[in-house]
Amino acid sequence: MKNIHILVATGEWAQDQLRYRRHRLAEYLQNHPDTKEVIWLCPTPYRKENSHTRLSNGIKQWAIQDLFPQKVFRFGRYLDVFHKTKVQPLLQYLKEEQEQYTVNLWYTFPGFPSLTELFSWNKVVYDCSDLWTSPINGKNSILANFRKNIIAGAENRIIQKANVIFCTSEYLRKRIVEKLGSEEKVFTFENGVEFDLFATNPLQTENILPDHFDGTVLGFIGGIKPKLDFDLIKEVAQKKREWLFLFVGPDGTNDHPEFKNLLSESNVFWTGSVAPSDVPKYMNLIDIGIMPYKSSQYNQAVFPLKLFEFLAAGKSVLGMHLPSTEKYAEESVYVHLDTNDSNQFINVCEQLEDTKNQENYIQKRKALAKTKNWNEVFEDMCLLV
């Protein structure tokens, strides 16, 4: 019997032009021979003429409108009263399909928890990739605590109902095991990489770097959010004017002044959002990948998507305050720091700079990344579903 997979996602498919773990999972399931259909179920702040549409990749997107478009009202995604009625057309459609197909529910964030109780799912899966209850900027407030309690309640309901739970880091796994009182159905599967996309793409994007620049480029690619230490990079940029710092991705800081101040430095460049298909071309402009995360509870749980993408492209990487990645530390491959000291940052990057083009290290980086191909990650996960 073929499967219908419902993926509960944080937003519409092309919301910020970034490809997260959930996008790769949806496409993997869509291309699986045992799949009849994949439905991307997501909240949207805006009114839609049609609640469901077919994406170009064949996945059906089913959008549930928020209470109001303002960000402050997004707490409704976690409370039954604000979405229970709105999901009924989808559930009616699935009831008709369940006569012929197996219907599985995949949560990739703890929204719409009532779904676990409103339908007789064949399997409920929770793929946990973030510490959803923790503010991304690391700051506590009355509003943050209100949000935390609502999300924690929704997530606990999903955890209790799930048949299997996947986590992207050991930190997340241990946290969920503590809540469950059992580790029987909880597994760690770290983020992977589309290896061939990054390892075999020789093209570079043109007209991005300054004319005649032939120095070292330190780069960050991804969503630019308050979890990054902009003040640290500004300090490093001021001390190392011969280096260029390239940021590629959408601004998710809401015009945070620290990010604006960083961009005022002459050797810091920001491209804005780029098409996911163009990311390898930007990766090839970079000599050293940087993941300059702040020290926070949220980042304790993070396993960054870009680690293995940098390595697949043959680039060495410096990560900060990311304990989930520390076990991959290897000379001229990956360095992990638990400090925001700019001089240590510079010392590490100077060492990586010396070996950036050495073929033996390039091959070591690629060899590590090759063991983390997305298809193998998802195959192993699906064996447990």
Side-chain angles (χ1 to χ4, degrees):
M1 184 178 289
K2 287 202 167 189
N3 303 306
I4 296 175
H5 299 287
I6 315 301
L7 266 76
V8 180
T10 56
E12 295 178 62
W13 183 270
Q15 180 176 312
D16 53 13
Q17 273 202 301
L18 293 175
R19 279 171 55 81
Y20 294 101
R21 175 185 176 105
R22 62 185 66 90
H23 292 83
R24 277 105 172 180
L25 174 61
E27 289 180 337
Y28 172 84
L29 294 172
Q30 173 73 4
N31 294 324
H32 197 282
D34 291 338
T35 295
K36 189 264 180 180
E37 184 174 47
V38 171
I39 297 176
W40 182 267
L41 179 64
C42 61
T44 179
Y46 310 107
R47 181 181 297 276
K48 301 285 182 184
E49 287 187 16
N50 296 310
S51 60
H52 51 90
T53 54
R54 186 75 63 181
L55 303 175
S56 60
N57 57 13
I59 292 170
K60 180 185 286 184
Q61 178 171 277
W62 202 300
I64 304 296
Q65 188 181 347
D66 288 331
L67 181 63
F68 295 109
Q70 292 81 4
K71 191 173 181 179
V72 69
F73 292 106
R74 290 181 186 175
F75 65 84
R77 300 170 179 184
Y78 309 98
L79 296 174
D80 294 359
V81 67
F82 296 111
H83 63 260
K84 199 171 182 179
T85 301
K86 295 176 182 178
V87 299
Q88 288 302 321
L90 169 64
L91 298 181
Q92 184 57 46
Y93 167 75
L94 294 176
K95 283 176 185 175
E96 297 169 4
E97 294 293 297
Q98 199 169 31
E99 296 178 7
Q100 301 178 63
Y101 305 103
T102 297
V103 184
N104 299 323
L105 177 64
W106 296 72
Y107 280 98
T108 69
F109 94 114
F112 313 141
S114 65
L115 286 171
T116 60
E117 300 146 13
L118 295 174
F119 190 80
S120 180
W121 306 98
N122 294 92
K123 288 287 177 67
V124 176
V125 183
Y126 180 29
D127 188 35
C128 181
S129 60
D130 276 298
L131 189 59
W132 295 105
T133 55
S134 181
I136 197 168
N137 61 9
K139 296 178 181 178
N140 287 316
S141 65
I142 293 174
L143 184 61
N145 285 330
F146 170 74
R147 176 182 175 276
K148 174 181 178 179
N149 291 333
I150 289 177
I151 296 175
E155 186 179 50
N156 285 337
R157 290 168 63 189
I158 293 166
I159 287 170
Q160 298 301 326
K161 292 285 188 178
N163 300 101
V164 61
I165 299 170
F166 302 121
C167 303
T168 55
S169 69
E170 274 299 295
Y171 183 99
L172 290 171
R173 190 190 74 85
K174 288 176 182 177
R175 174 180 158 274
I176 289 177
V177 166
E178 285 178 8
K179 291 187 175 188
L180 277 173
S182 168
E183 58 182 27
E184 184 178 351
K185 64 179 184 180
V186 191
F187 306 90
T188 301
F189 283 88
E190 295 166 345
N191 287 324
V193 60
E194 293 162 297
F195 180 77
D196 289 340
L197 183 65
F198 291 92
T200 61
N201 191 329
L203 301 177
Q204 286 187 351
T205 297
E206 297 180 350
N207 302 319
I208 299 297
L209 303 183
D211 290 341
H212 311 300
F213 177 82
D214 61 357
T216 295
V217 180
L218 282 69
F220 174 85
I221 298 180
I224 299 167
K225 299 176 181 178
K227 62 187 176 183
L228 301 178
D229 196 337
F230 302 119
D231 286 344
L232 169 67
I233 300 303
K234 180 174 181 177
E235 191 176 338
V236 175
Q238 290 173 342
K239 291 179 177 180
K240 295 290 288 186
R241 290 297 184 190
E242 69 272 28
W243 288 352
L244 188 145
F245 296 81
L246 181 65
F247 285 80
V248 180
D251 179 7
T253 70
N254 293 318
D255 293 323
H256 197 287
E258 290 178 8
F259 183 49
K260 284 187 172 181
N261 289 338
L262 173 61
L263 295 179
S264 69
E265 298 300 320
S266 60
N267 55 337
V268 176
F269 290 80
W270 173 48
T271 67
S273 204
V274 302
S277 58
D278 287 337
V279 168
K281 299 177 186 177
Y282 285 86
M283 189 74 76
N284 289 336
L285 297 175
I286 292 168
D287 297 302
I288 299 169
I290 56 171
M291 303 186 300
Y293 285 53
K294 294 177 178 177
S295 177
S296 70
Q297 186 183 27
Y298 181 89
N299 288 337
Q300 288 280 308
V302 165
F303 193 98
L305 279 162
K306 283 295 170 283
L307 173 58
F308 296 125
E309 293 182 1
F310 281 128
L311 294 175
K315 314 299 179 178
S316 58
V317 190
L318 168 60
M320 304 180 68
H321 300 298
L322 293 165
S324 63
T325 66
E326 194 168 0
K327 63 185 175 183
Y328 294 107
E330 183 180 353
E331 181 188 355
S332 292
V333 175
Y334 178 59
V335 178
H336 179 260
L337 289 178
D338 264 324
T339 178
N340 59 352
D341 182 271
S342 61
N343 290 325
Q344 285 201 45
F345 184 104
I346 290 168
N347 289 339
V348 166
C349 289
E350 285 176 342
Q351 293 170 24
L352 297 177
E353 187 179 31
D354 290 340
T355 59
K356 65 183 182 182
N357 295 322
Q358 290 187 17
E359 188 61 29
N360 58 323
Y361 288 119
I362 291 173
Q363 292 309 315
K364 280 187 177 183
R365 298 162 196 158
K366 291 188 174 188
L368 174 55
K370 196 171 185 179
T371 67
K372 302 294 181 177
N373 210 29
W374 274 123
N375 279 352
E376 283 72 40
V377 173
F378 293 142
E379 282 174 13
D380 290 343
M381 286 169 55
C382 286
L383 289 174
L384 298 169
V385 174

